[in-house]
Amino acid sequence: KFAAEGKNVVFTGRSPEKVAAAEAAYRAKFPGVDILGYAIDSLIDERTVDEAAVEAMFTWLDARDIFVEHLVLNAADQGLGIKALENPLTDFMKVLNTNVVWNYCICEHAARRMKENGGGSIVFVNSNTAYRAIPDRIAYVASKGGQLGMMRAMALDFGKYNIRVNAVLPGMIRTDRWEKNPEFYAKVPSRYTPI
């Protein structure tokens, strides 16, 4: 959407191969727009967010004189397969570290630069599970509730620097993942959403 409106885009992904392929596809589709992909992973291990990787990414952007005016955070660990009372604590920690701590780390680095440049915007792609629970997803539900609270607090703390912080809370979105997992999606509440 940003590229279609003529905005330059930097996007991230965990797989260098997928990032390179997406970057090539986006550049071909939007030849008049600068598009850069950057491969980065969120965690060193379940307990440790890779803050050094975030610092390196923003140093890389700074060296290219790239200012992230609009930050959209849409990556998440969905916490699939985590059963209450069965999985180790580190599985829970991994989801919270990715969805809350990792996102905070990225926001902190971006907001420092936004403050210096007169403002910007941060948008979390959250989930309607921030205010309603779904079965066998305790870690994900907790992380999305925490992320929503973090967004509200950031809006208060960053607003004085002309930085808007918001979240969108979608339910299921019909993508190829929906089509490839018909057994799972046949049973989810969003299956009955009219549009």
Side-chain angles (χ1 to χ4, degrees):
K1 181 68 173 166
F2 281 113
E5 294 184 1
K7 295 272 189 181
N8 296 330
V9 175
V10 177
F11 71 93
T12 63
R14 295 177 181 140
S15 162
E17 297 79 18
K18 289 181 180 179
V19 167
E23 183 181 61
Y26 290 142
R27 284 182 175 176
K29 187 172 182 178
F30 305 104
V33 176
D34 289 335
I35 297 177
L36 292 171
Y38 190 92
I40 188 170
D41 206 346
S42 54
L43 305 179
I44 295 169
D45 57 44
E46 296 88 344
R47 294 178 173 90
T48 314
V49 169
D50 195 348
E51 184 177 8
V54 176
E55 290 175 3
M57 179 179 69
F58 277 95
T59 298
W60 182 83
L61 292 168
D62 292 343
R64 286 157 182 76
D65 201 28
I66 296 170
F67 166 55
V68 177
E69 184 179 0
H70 308 288
L71 176 65
V72 179
L73 299 143
N74 68 330
D77 185 325
Q78 295 185 7
L80 296 172
I82 300 177
K83 298 282 190 182
L85 312 179
E86 296 177 19
N87 285 64
L89 180 62
T90 51
D91 287 351
F92 184 85
M93 293 170 70
K94 180 176 178 279
V95 175
L96 264 68
N97 277 332
T98 299
N99 298 353
V100 180
V101 182
W102 166 251
N103 280 305
Y104 174 80
C105 186
I106 293 172
C107 290
E108 181 181 50
H109 285 270
R112 284 186 190 136
R113 287 154 177 87
M114 289 174 183
K115 177 184 172 187
E116 292 171 6
N117 283 278
S121 68
I122 297 170
V123 179
F124 289 90
V125 179
N126 194 280
S127 168
N128 60 21
T129 59
Y131 58 83
R132 71 170 180 86
I134 53 178
D136 294 324
R137 301 289 290 284
I138 291 174
Y140 182 73
V141 170
S143 74
K144 289 302 180 173
Q147 190 184 83
L148 189 60
M150 180 171 70
M151 177 278 300
R152 289 184 179 118
M154 283 183 178
L156 287 175
D157 289 349
F158 297 169
K160 61 188 166 206
Y161 305 120
N162 197 33
I163 302 169
R164 292 185 326 276
V165 187
N166 293 288
V168 293
L169 284 73
M172 295 302 304
I173 299 172
R174 188 178 285 273
T175 64
D176 63 335
R177 186 171 67 193
W178 182 305
E179 302 299 334
K180 291 175 184 173
N181 296 286
E183 302 82 25
F184 175 77
Y185 290 106
K187 299 176 183 75
V188 296
S190 297
R191 163 79 172 75
Y192 306 102
T193 301
I195 58 173

